[in-house]
Amino acid sequence: MSDKVEKKGSPSFYTKLLILLSIVGPGIITANIDNDAGGIATYSLVGAKTGFKLLWTLMPITVALIMVQEMSARMGIASGKGLADLIREKFGLKVTFYSLFLLIFADLGNTMAEFAGIASAGEIFGISKYISVPLCSLFVWLLITKGNYKTVERIFIAGCAVYLSYIVSGFIIGPDWGEVAKATFIPDFDVLTSENMPLIVGLVGTSITPWMQFYIQSAVVEKGISTKHLWHSKLDVIVGCLFMVMVTIFIIICCAVTIHSAGVQISTAADAARALEPLAGKYSSILFGIGLFNASIFSAALLPLATSYYVCEGMGWESGVDKTFKEAPNFFTIFTLLILIAAAMILIPGIDLFNILIWTQVINGVLIPIILLFIINLCNDPDVMGEYTNSTAYNFISYGIVLLMLIINGALIYYEAVQRFF
């Protein structure tokens, strides 16, 4: 009889699996869509310029990413509020306004980078940017304004699966896996040079971005995840981050084995894909191009969506994909304007797409320590978090991450100043 009661009281494996599947989404989507056009351009450049030498930097970046994403998701679940909303309540409207101003400026550049990726991906397949960019911007706008949260989330998760194309490309190319493992897990501090510093800051900036933290927190709030499913949310974050770094490693491998070894110079993401064809075969080039297009179009939807969330939260306006234009006019207006401006800028003849891709990631790297200080402060506030505040060890590592980012950014500014003025 007691066995029957125990069986009845504890959920079965399938019930647990269904609960997990109902919770996953925000962590996997946020981490993987972060492998966007700017990210792919940065990883391609890292592989083409340095080979495997910077792979080891991805290990501490992954640990930092998991911790930061976990804090943001936990804060959203514990408080039931978005990050911008909490910043306004805790630090005041003035701090919120200036923070949002800087973030909107950076996110406009990042959204431009996504449409630059769409343009570059179209060029790989012989499609003019004057066709690909307007069509994709219309698709992105319709997806968000006419869809609901469940539909959008399912499409984004399906988009995450396309990132497997980079992993397939890596296996087609067939690197020396022993050399890859050595470069990944054994640090080489000799690569920390002035020449490589923008690439390192770019890796940090494209892996741990300000908009990610706002989006994942808004996503768990809109999805209605409760504290009893906190463990499922953590698993969602960890799996998403690990998959993201795996894709990153394979993109670097593709370009290191082929482009770097052949000494080929690249100036656009399309160059990287085209360079793979004579060096690694037609299929690698096609898969690389498909991955770039997929990453660009879904990030072009997600990034302005994240911006719309945190601006509306910060200003106290209605927001949410499930709302109508009439219910949340500011939310959808901001989303629409970001897409229109970014797409229009990319269509300007002669614009340097690749520099937009790379330097927007560097801007992210400079801004993220400021956002992290907000997150850590809020995660230690019992009024916000209740019993789910950070532990002492968590705080120690979190502040260490901020310090490390500030040192990297300081090194970049120093090296850039030396190169330009001395």
Side-chain angles (χ1 to χ4, degrees):
M1 180 76 178
S2 61
D3 287 344
K4 287 183 181 178
V5 171
E6 189 175 326
K7 279 185 179 180
K8 193 175 180 180
S10 60
S12 67
F13 170 78
Y14 295 107
T15 304
K16 290 178 181 178
L17 182 61
L18 285 172
I19 292 171
L20 178 61
L21 290 175
S22 69
I23 300 301
V24 299
I28 291 174
I29 291 168
T30 308
N32 282 282
I33 300 296
D34 193 45
N35 275 339
D36 58 0
I40 293 165
T42 303
Y43 309 145
S44 300
L45 203 59
V46 167
K49 281 196 168 185
T50 68
F52 297 146
K53 290 180 182 177
L54 290 179
L55 280 178
W56 66 270
T57 63
L58 294 173
M59 295 303 102
I61 287 173
T62 304
V63 173
L65 176 63
I66 289 172
M67 290 188 67
V68 172
Q69 288 279 273
E70 189 278 330
M71 278 193 287
S72 297
R74 174 160 43 95
M75 197 194 312
I77 293 169
S79 68
K81 295 179 180 179
L83 180 54
D85 197 1
L86 292 172
I87 290 173
R88 187 187 76 244
E89 289 181 6
K90 178 78 174 179
F91 301 101
L93 189 58
K94 188 181 287 187
V95 171
T96 306
F97 175 81
Y98 288 116
S99 299
L100 293 181
F101 178 79
L102 290 172
L103 287 164
I104 290 169
F105 180 76
D107 281 356
L108 178 59
N110 289 324
T111 306
M112 287 173 62
E114 310 313 338
F115 283 107
I118 289 170
S120 296
E123 288 170 5
I124 294 168
F125 301 105
I127 302 170
S128 168
K129 69 178 182 179
Y130 298 103
I131 296 173
S132 61
V133 170
L135 285 177
C136 290
S137 60
L138 179 61
F139 168 77
V140 162
W141 185 82
L142 289 172
L143 173 66
I144 301 302
T145 58
K146 302 301 179 184
N148 56 48
Y149 182 81
K150 283 187 177 180
T151 302
V152 171
E153 184 181 67
R154 285 168 185 165
I155 291 173
F156 281 154
I157 289 174
C160 289
V162 183
Y163 286 101
L164 291 169
S165 63
Y166 289 113
I167 296 175
V168 174
S169 293
F171 279 107
I172 290 173
I173 289 167
D176 181 335
W177 294 108
E179 190 180 343
V180 170
K182 182 180 177 183
T184 302
F185 297 106
I186 300 177
D188 178 10
F189 297 105
D190 291 335
V191 301
L192 303 178
T193 63
S194 59
E195 186 181 359
N196 290 334
M197 198 54 62
L199 294 176
I200 295 169
V201 176
L203 281 173
V204 174
T206 194
S207 302
I208 310 172
T209 60
W211 68 265
M212 289 173 69
Q213 317 324 317
F214 289 93
Y215 177 77
I216 192 170
Q217 192 159 332
S218 297
V220 297
V221 170
E222 185 162 5
K223 193 163 185 175
I225 300 173
S226 64
T227 51
K228 69 179 181 179
H229 296 308
L230 199 57
W231 182 87
H232 299 91
S233 178
K234 289 181 181 181
L235 186 62
D236 178 35
V237 166
I238 292 168
V239 171
C241 292
L242 291 177
F243 185 74
M244 187 217 81
V245 77
M246 189 186 304
V247 171
T248 302
I249 288 171
F250 273 91
I251 293 172
I252 294 174
I253 286 172
C254 288
C255 294
V257 173
T258 54
I259 301 170
H260 178 73
S261 299
V264 176
Q265 297 294 316
I266 62 170
S267 59
T268 68
D271 287 347
R274 290 193 190 100
L276 289 176
E277 186 166 346
L279 299 170
K282 182 180 178 182
Y283 292 113
S284 292
S285 178
I286 291 171
L287 287 169
F288 198 93
I290 290 171
L292 175 61
F293 177 77
N294 172 76
S296 301
I297 194 166
F298 285 112
S299 297
L302 189 60
L303 208 153
L305 180 62
T307 308
S308 303
Y309 269 125
Y310 68 67
V311 171
C312 289
E313 287 168 5
M315 301 307 294
W317 298 331
E318 284 292 328
S319 63
V321 176
D322 283 334
K323 299 278 195 307
T324 64
F325 208 103
K326 190 175 180 180
E327 292 170 330
N330 295 311
F331 177 79
F332 289 108
T333 299
I334 293 166
F335 177 79
T336 302
L337 285 175
L338 280 170
I339 290 175
L340 281 175
I341 295 169
M345 291 291 288
I346 292 304
L347 294 178
I348 296 173
I351 193 166
D352 190 338
L353 301 182
F354 199 67
N355 268 333
I356 292 171
L357 289 171
I358 297 300
W359 284 103
T360 49
Q361 308 315 309
V362 175
I363 292 171
N364 284 337
V366 173
L367 280 175
I368 189 61
I370 300 168
I371 303 303
L372 287 187
L373 288 173
F374 283 137
I375 291 171
I376 295 168
N377 187 291
L378 289 165
C379 276
N380 283 286
D381 188 340
D383 292 335
V384 174
M385 302 296 293
E387 62 183 290
Y388 301 102
T389 53
N390 282 356
S391 65
T392 303
Y394 217 97
N395 280 330
F396 180 79
I397 298 171
S398 299
Y399 281 116
I401 291 168
V402 174
L403 180 61
L404 186 60
M405 286 182 173
L406 290 172
I407 291 170
I408 292 172
N409 291 338
L412 172 67
I413 293 166
Y414 170 77
Y415 285 130
E416 284 296 306
V418 168
Q419 286 178 356
R420 288 179 182 274
F421 303 112
F422 299 99

